[in-house]
Amino acid sequence: MALRIFNVLGREKQDFVPLTEGFVNMYVCGPTVYDYSHIGHAKTYVSFDTIVRYMRSTGLNVLYVQNITDVGHLLDSGEDRILKKARQTQSKPMQIVETYTKAYFDAMDALGVQRPDISPRASGHIPEMFKMIEGLLSKGFAYEAEGSVYFDVTKDPDYGKLSNRRVSELEAGKREAVRGEKRNPEDFALWKRADPEHILRWDSPWGEGFPGWHIECSAMALKYLGPTFDIHGGGIDNMFPHNESEIAQSECHNDADFARYWMLVGSLTVDGVKMSKSLGNFTTVQDVLAKYQPGVIRYFVQSAHYSNPIDYSDDALDAAAKGWERLTNAVRLARQMRGAAPAGDDAGGFAARLAEARAQFGAAMDDDFNTPIAIASLQDLTREVNTLLNSGTTVSAAALDAILETYQATAGDVLGLLPKADAVNSGSAARESALIELLVDMRLQARKAKNWAESDRLRDELAKIGVILEDRADGTVWKVQ
RNA sequence: GGCGACGUGGCCAAGUGGCAAGGCAAAGCUCUGCAAAAGCUUGAUCACCAGUUCGAAUCUGGUCGUCGCCUCCA
């Protein structure tokens, strides 16, 4: 098995060969922190989280860098997103940045997204940007105009290679540049002169100003990953101009290839249109988490290939919830049966089936991280596991351990879909469990007496507080919803 | 207008030359005091047209439709 990745740069699936064997240097464009993260961000970062988890599970040593954009992201009006928010809420810009950076990590933590190894902030890398801009100026790829510095796209023959755009084909004059100081309409800012009301500003060799949006990623990728690294990821909506400009700046400045593999994830849509803050059709991660378990959201995201768009709706989430529960129910049952399982020295005839499942899972993930197929392989396995666990035959502890290990290595460690094994460490959790067991036992007595009314009342009352009972041949099991 | 993605059973979604995975929903059945959970059974010729081929959802050309980017967005 060998990992294959669809490289947007070149548009073909390629064998993944890291620059240094066993190591992967990876950069993913992070969020601009001026508002709460919505479910569209969740799709992007759950996707890359899954990708990183899988690579690590195969033994690759991944260095995952994902920036935080806290300056330089301008609106059409020329206004900084963060400054606008600060003005609206009468806050300091860095208050906005802190608030939403924290909110972003809180949301991602809740979704089981493992933290990037490095989360560099744009505002903390102004000197690195200066250096890069100066380098581009001295090499003639950039020019200064009235306190701003622009990248001259006509100086880079490769400009457009990621998004298949040709500057020469863009009808000059069709869209006039907002600022007449640019030489070409497609030139983009490396550094912008700050108007008096612009609070976020730094002294620079070109006067007071602030960095352009694209330069931060080039500067931080260079600093933490070097001139050439393995994978650059992000949302496909940033392919142009952002990613394209990153490539231009970096390759012209570094005299080296930038990222070797480009992975762009499809957008999340609502009723067929992209979820975005500007359209107002967004649902925040915290709102969705109020209704669905984190695992459900991950399952929803992973049920389509990362490069495809997915449409968000309650129906879609409900369906994902059912599919996710089917997997987790099997795991929960196995965990519960493990407690009273008789010792056994092997997994019996099931070992081969488990090995097959893991092989199928790995093959799917190796094929450009095909999570829908990976999940299908687990659903297939789950049917057989359920059959085994419900067959009435005795299943040995060794067999249950093997089953649980298989789920943990796939649905757990890679997909991040499994809840933690019920920990009854804390006093209150232990007390809660004991109380539930007590009620379950009371209901058992009622059932023995064929007092169905009382039996059903206990079950219904427990259901109201989120405790679901299931009567099995070998006893009643319960779960917390 | 340019660049790109896509159109597979009621819904979601894999498959990209050799008899169309998986999930959800629906119906019937088994189990069950009931319920839940679980299992079994039942369904598509792949937008349309024309080609290439022994053979196409899968390749080529065209038509229709949807979406993304081209201006801020993960």
Side-chain angles (χ1 to χ4, degrees):
Chain A
M1 290 197 298
L3 179 58
R4 288 173 65 77
I5 292 178
F6 181 84
N7 193 348
V8 178
L9 193 62
R11 311 284 155 104
E12 64 172 6
K13 209 181 278 188
Q14 302 169 337
D15 287 334
F16 177 63
V17 183
L19 212 50
T20 304
E21 193 180 345
F23 291 83
V24 178
N25 278 186
M26 177 165 169
Y27 187 96
V28 172
C29 287
T32 301
V33 283
Y34 70 103
D35 206 341
Y36 290 108
S37 300
H38 57 61
I39 189 74
H41 298 108
K43 170 172 161 45
T44 297
Y45 300 116
V46 165
S47 294
F48 283 112
D49 178 57
T50 306
I51 286 163
V52 169
R53 282 167 175 257
Y54 179 66
M55 289 195 290
R56 286 182 173 148
S57 81
T58 64
L60 288 167
N61 192 327
V62 182
L63 175 58
Y64 181 18
V65 178
Q66 184 194 107
N67 64 293
I68 295 286
T69 297
D70 59 357
V71 63
H73 213 151
L74 301 186
L75 293 162
D76 252 357
S77 58
E79 189 171 25
D80 185 293
R81 289 179 175 288
I82 291 158
L83 289 185
K84 182 182 177 187
K85 190 80 177 185
R87 181 168 51 70
Q88 287 171 340
T89 57
Q90 297 192 303
S91 314
K92 301 286 187 212
M94 280 300 146
Q95 265 183 286
I96 299 298
V97 167
E98 289 302 324
T99 299
Y100 293 109
T101 299
K102 181 173 182 301
Y104 168 71
F105 282 122
D106 285 348
M108 293 305 128
D109 288 349
L111 288 173
V113 172
Q114 295 175 346
R115 297 264 180 131
D117 296 300
I118 304 175
S119 300
R121 292 187 184 194
S123 64
H125 297 76
I126 302 292
E128 286 83 353
M129 296 187 217
F130 283 170
K131 212 174 160 189
M132 197 163 221
I133 294 169
E134 284 170 334
L136 286 166
L137 278 168
S138 69
K139 284 184 168 181
F141 289 109
Y143 57 92
E144 186 183 350
E146 299 175 42
S148 294
V149 181
Y150 293 96
F151 185 92
D152 186 342
V153 296
T154 63
K155 296 285 169 59
D156 177 15
D158 280 343
Y159 189 75
K161 71 179 180 182
L162 181 69
S163 58
N164 281 329
R165 275 165 228 270
R166 286 279 160 267
V167 174
S168 58
E169 288 173 5
L170 294 165
E171 295 171 56
K174 185 179 178 182
R175 197 183 326 107
E176 274 306 316
V178 180
R179 296 220 177 177
E181 64 203 35
K182 289 202 279 191
R183 285 182 192 166
N184 313 291
E186 298 300 320
D187 289 351
F188 56 88
L190 299 171
W191 185 260
K192 298 207 84 167
R193 165 189 77 247
D195 294 328
E197 64 273 19
H198 202 104
I199 314 171
L200 273 177
R201 57 203 296 146
W202 286 263
D203 255 334
S204 82
W206 316 283
E208 289 213 330
F210 57 94
W213 173 31
H214 317 303
I215 192 69
E216 57 168 288
C217 288
S218 289
M220 296 189 287
L222 175 62
K223 176 165 185 172
Y224 298 108
L225 300 174
T228 303
F229 56 96
D230 297 297
I231 298 173
H232 191 307
I236 196 165
D237 49 347
N238 275 336
M239 180 165 66
F240 188 91
H242 182 62
N243 297 150
E244 196 70 74
S245 301
E246 277 182 74
I247 294 175
Q249 293 163 346
S250 293
E251 298 196 339
C252 290
H253 176 271
N254 303 336
D255 285 324
D257 286 340
F258 190 46
R260 301 170 67 234
Y261 299 85
W262 279 82
M263 299 180 68
L264 301 179
V265 309
S267 299
L268 182 131
T269 60
V270 183
D271 295 327
V273 269
K274 194 179 77 167
M275 178 176 284
S276 70
K277 289 168 181 170
S278 54
L279 290 175
N281 63 341
F282 65 92
T283 307
T284 64
V285 171
Q286 52 188 350
D287 284 346
V288 182
L289 280 170
K291 215 174 154 190
Y292 298 96
Q293 305 247 12
V296 172
I297 298 172
R298 293 183 69 97
Y299 188 98
F300 168 65
V301 167
Q302 292 161 347
S303 65
H305 190 258
Y306 72 81
S307 63
N308 286 353
I310 52 176
D311 203 61
Y312 173 81
S313 68
D314 282 349
D315 282 350
L317 266 288
D318 287 343
K322 289 293 183 59
W324 175 77
E325 279 168 13
R326 185 164 179 274
L327 291 180
T328 52
N329 280 347
V331 172
R332 181 186 299 105
L333 182 57
R335 284 174 179 169
Q336 287 171 339
M337 291 174 74
R338 176 64 182 80
D345 47 8
D346 65 78
F350 219 65
R353 180 63 187 87
L354 292 173
E356 183 192 10
R358 287 178 81 141
Q360 288 173 342
F361 183 89
M365 293 301 287
D366 270 344
D367 186 12
D368 196 26
F369 309 98
N370 197 325
T371 52
I373 292 200
I375 286 176
S377 73
L378 294 179
Q379 292 286 7
D380 273 335
L381 172 67
T382 298
R383 186 186 328 107
E384 294 175 49
V385 167
N386 278 327
T387 298
L388 175 70
L389 300 187
N390 291 302
S391 64
T393 60
T394 304
V395 183
S396 72
L400 290 168
D401 283 341
I403 288 169
L404 289 171
E405 279 165 21
T406 299
Y407 277 103
Q408 187 57 44
T410 54
D413 296 341
V414 176
L415 300 180
L417 294 175
L418 299 185
K420 287 196 170 63
D422 299 326
V424 197
N425 300 325
S426 75
S428 63
R431 193 176 308 121
E432 179 184 315
S433 294
L435 283 167
I436 292 170
E437 298 288 353
L438 181 64
L439 288 163
V440 167
D441 188 60
M442 286 172 67
R443 176 165 170 275
L444 177 63
Q445 300 308 317
R447 292 184 73 210
K448 277 182 179 168
K450 296 201 188 303
N451 184 351
W452 308 128
E454 177 64 5
S455 163
D456 291 349
R457 189 183 73 83
L458 284 166
R459 184 172 62 196
D460 292 345
E461 291 299 321
L462 280 168
K464 280 183 192 170
I465 56 174
V467 179
I468 308 300
L469 304 189
E470 289 172 19
D471 295 326
R472 293 170 47 78
D474 54 354
T476 299
V477 298
W478 58 274
K479 64 178 175 184
V480 178
Q481 208 168 31

